[in-house]
Amino acid sequence: MKAKYADVILPLPLYSTYTYSLPEEVSEGVATGSRVLVQFGRKKYYTGIVSRVHSEAPSYEVKPVSEVMDREPVVRPAQLKLWRWISEYYLCSEGEVMKAAIPTGLKPESETFVSLVDDFDVPEGFSISERQAVIMTLLQDKGRMRIRDIEAELGMANAARHIMPLLDAEIVAIDEKLVERYHARKESFVTLNARRGDKETLHRYFDMTARSDRQEKLLVTWLDMSGWLNPMRDASDVTKAALMKASGATPSILKALVDKGILTVERRVVNRFNHVVEEHPPLLAPLNEQQSRAYDATLDVLRGCRPALIHGITGSGKTEIYTHLMAASLRDANQALYLVPEISLTTQLADRLRKVFGNRLVVYHSKFSDSERVDIWKKLLNTREPLVVLGVRSSVFLPFSHLGLVIVDEEHESSYKQYDPAPRYNARDTAMVLAQMHGAKVVLGSATPSIETYFKALNGKYGLVELNERFSGTPLPDVNIIDMRRQRKEKKVKGILSLPLRTSIKEALAEGRQAIVFQNRRGFAPMVVCRQCGWTPKCENCDVSLVYHKKADVLRCHYCGYVCALPTLCPACGENAIATFGYGTERIAEEIQEEFPHHRIVRMDLDTTRNKDAYQEIIEQFADNETDILIGTQMISKGLDFGRVKEVGVANADTLLNFPDFRSNERAFNMLEQVAGRAGRREEKGRVDIQTSRPDDHVLRFVKAHDFKGFYNVEIEERRKYRYPPFTKVINIYIKHKDARSVDRIAREYTLELRRIFGNRVLGPEKPFVSRVALWYIQGIMLKIEANASMKKVKDILRDVYTRMAASPDMKGAQIYYDVDPV
């Protein structure tokens, strides 16, 4: 029998697979997509995915696969094909794609454990410190422990610093142990100790419970819930929790029936999302005349095998069209993927879609625990039933078996782009490739499509479907541009609120309506300054000022998370002159509460939505009219549908305008138009007040007129003139090093090397807006190449340049990474 080998993808930034031998006892159970446990390096163990099984012995000595972790593959061939495309297009390794794609619970890794050496001897001259003695006592008591558990137990930071001398003295030993992060959900089930149809045994059981009405009731309830007596019905499993609730029994009553041998309670592993699929057809809301025309036009585009772009103004009812398209996909026995840019949208949408699709709806996002995500993965892996998956960008990695439709809502959103770590993919573009691999249809939707997408639609690559009226018939809201310079000059500004904005909010509340205030900065104050000497607190790890968060009473870096206390006295001059300036959502919420003390106000930003259920609670409260004013960051601008919002205020539009980036105008227009679209979505026309110090900015002029096409015509000419997407493809190359001079030298040499190949397509190097993050100094090089260039060839060239550059002494300690199609 020929020896077998497996090429394994490891969750590491390695630009090739690694070959392992397959021992005879496991070789039959290994296939493409199987999980295997392999040793990499001297002590580390990783979960890898088999990309190929073959009989070609490599030229080097190989290690054996340590363990095959599944009887069946956990990754489908189509997924591996998508991983390869992502790694080639986004210039990263398949291992990095794997790491992002598979839930953590399916990737057990090794962690460092520490234990005392048996009968150790303290070397002569070695002095055991007090902290080392405490660690040794703990290990003697507890045995083998992880370093992080030692730190937690002793309240000690950086325990490794005290452990390493003990290791060198051979007092302790370290080893690696596999840690499985997935915890299966278990549930108690109750079963009857009799074969179905055995009425003689059942009569005997009733005789045994005749003296206790409560025991008899529990038995009757079990029979009713299980369908045991109904031959026309399949028997159902009965959970202990449901049985106890339905019967009203106490644990002692159940125990009595178990002790009598009538019932058995057993714990089973269950899939958290393995719901019974409802058989009733989807309960679809009827489409109005405009929606019906758009639906038919979309179907015509899809029949022609082109992606369809639904360009519908805010509130035009795009979601209902998506729902009808998904229902049609389910009727064809296909699965549908519905992508949204933010977790906050899944909350409101899930409620709407569950009313239509029932348990055929599956929701997937990062707020789920590892174990919940594993269960969703396994559900999709083990079924071919028609389902609708509603999720954020990571949903493109799920193991679809029969994908028939992909919908990307708010396709323009930058949230679809993964920034760090690699792979730096765009879920919109990846979803389109995923659909192509499955032969599925693609629908993109937005009130403000991206410049590239609209360009493709106008040029026939995509089909264009337009919705120019709101579903309710209500016109788009009036937009009022408030000149804050004039307001301040006339002394009509109170805090951050101008007189017109305060008046508009008051009028909306007086009519029993709601208001939204948008500010794209969280925290209390983005600037802290000493009024005496001008000192400003900076992050120790990044080149940014710290933001003051009043509730926590701390200064926080929004890049690396560094936290410190707000000093009472200035560290530079010693004066009590520390002051906060500027406005984040926390400060705006405080001022609005003072202005409207009798109204209910809620804030929605990263700080208030950290726990799993916070999004849903905030959105439900506002939707149910339990709060009057919602204050938030860009989270509130993305497709949320509230019927009672009359007023939307933008606290400071200046933070969005003229950012040093070729997409800044596009981002500003999209965000302002989207947040404006939250107003007046039902019977009554809404109002939008935008506060700015630059009222004549052309972006604001187009927002005021709700003129996307006018904005597009100006922007596309700018892109054509300066050769930016869609006329070119942009790749940003970033160089990071912990030494500033080294990163300067590497960036200059790298740029010269690239210019020798790509000529004037190379721009830079230059420092980004924030040039040091988490102790890493950063420089960027922009590469603009032809839109139809082969990404595989570009990757090969860049990889070759990197290999040549790696010989430089400066490259030691440097990191190079690529951002393809930055947004």
Side-chain angles (χ1 to χ4, degrees), residues 12 38 61 107 121 146 176 181 229 364 399-400 426 448 454 496 506 577 598 651 672 684 719 761 773:
L12 299 167
V38 295
E61 185 179 348
K107 301 191 299 281
D121 290 319
R146 290 177 293 196
E176 303 292 323
R181 287 188 174 88
L229 292 173
Y364 188 79
F400 296 99
N426 189 311
T448 55
Y454 199 66
I496 196 173
K506 281 180 184 175
H598 304 299
L672 291 171
E684 192 174 353
R719 303 278 186 94
R761 299 179 182 88
V773 175

Side-chain angles (χ1 to χ4, degrees), residues 90-251:
Y90 291 104
L91 305 176
C92 62
S93 70
E94 284 187 64
E96 289 170 312
V97 182
M98 174 203 163
K99 192 169 184 178
I102 296 182
T104 305
L106 289 175
K107 301 191 299 281
E109 295 178 359
S110 57
E111 289 188 9
T112 302
F113 279 70
V114 182
S115 58
L116 279 176
V117 173
D118 292 337
D119 300 321
F120 66 84
D121 290 319
V122 179
E124 187 175 344
F126 183 83
S127 176
I128 298 176
S129 70
E130 183 177 341
R131 292 199 172 189
Q132 288 169 339
V134 171
I135 292 171
M136 291 167 64
T137 303
L138 181 65
L139 291 173
Q140 193 168 17
D141 182 45
K142 300 275 189 175
R144 195 164 165 278
M145 294 182 71
R146 290 177 293 196
I147 290 178
R148 63 186 175 93
D149 292 339
I150 293 172
E151 291 173 342
E153 185 86 17
L154 300 177
M156 182 185 296
N158 198 8
R161 182 160 56 90
H162 306 288
I163 289 169
M164 291 312 293
L166 296 175
L167 178 66
D168 294 337
E170 299 184 355
I171 296 172
V172 301
I174 65 170
D175 63 317
E176 303 292 323
K177 179 183 177 182
L178 194 70
V179 177
E180 176 70 73
R181 287 188 174 88
Y182 170 63
H183 300 288
R185 178 183 172 188
K186 293 184 178 180
E187 200 162 348
S188 296
F189 289 84
V190 181
T191 56
L192 185 72
N193 293 326
R195 292 193 308 275
R196 194 174 185 189
D198 185 356
K199 294 186 178 179
E200 184 178 335
T201 301
L202 183 61
H203 283 303
R204 182 160 52 85
Y205 287 166
F206 273 112
D207 290 340
M208 294 168 67
T209 59
R211 294 185 178 182
S212 172
D213 291 341
R214 290 184 295 177
Q215 290 181 18
E216 187 176 76
K217 182 182 177 183
L218 180 61
L219 180 57
V220 170
T221 304
W222 186 93
L223 291 168
D224 182 55
M225 293 177 71
S226 68
W228 196 88
L229 292 173
N230 187 351
M232 303 299 293
R233 182 183 143 192
D234 291 336
S236 301
D237 290 335
V238 180
T239 65
K240 177 183 173 182
L243 177 63
M244 302 298 277
K245 183 177 180 181
S247 65
T250 62

Side-chain angles (χ1 to χ4, degrees), residues 26-75:
V26 301
S27 61
E28 294 303 317
V30 178
T32 299
S34 293
R35 282 193 310 165
V36 290
L37 183 67
V38 295
Q39 184 180 0
F40 188 77
R42 293 181 61 191
K43 293 185 177 180
K44 289 286 185 180
Y45 283 84
Y46 291 96
T47 298
I49 297 295
V50 174
S51 65
R52 188 169 75 102
V53 178
H54 57 88
S55 301
E56 303 161 17
S59 59
Y60 51 88
E61 185 179 348
V62 296
K63 295 176 182 176
V65 166
S66 299
E67 184 182 341
V68 178
M69 304 182 70
D70 308 283
R71 292 183 180 179
E72 299 291 335
V74 298
V75 176

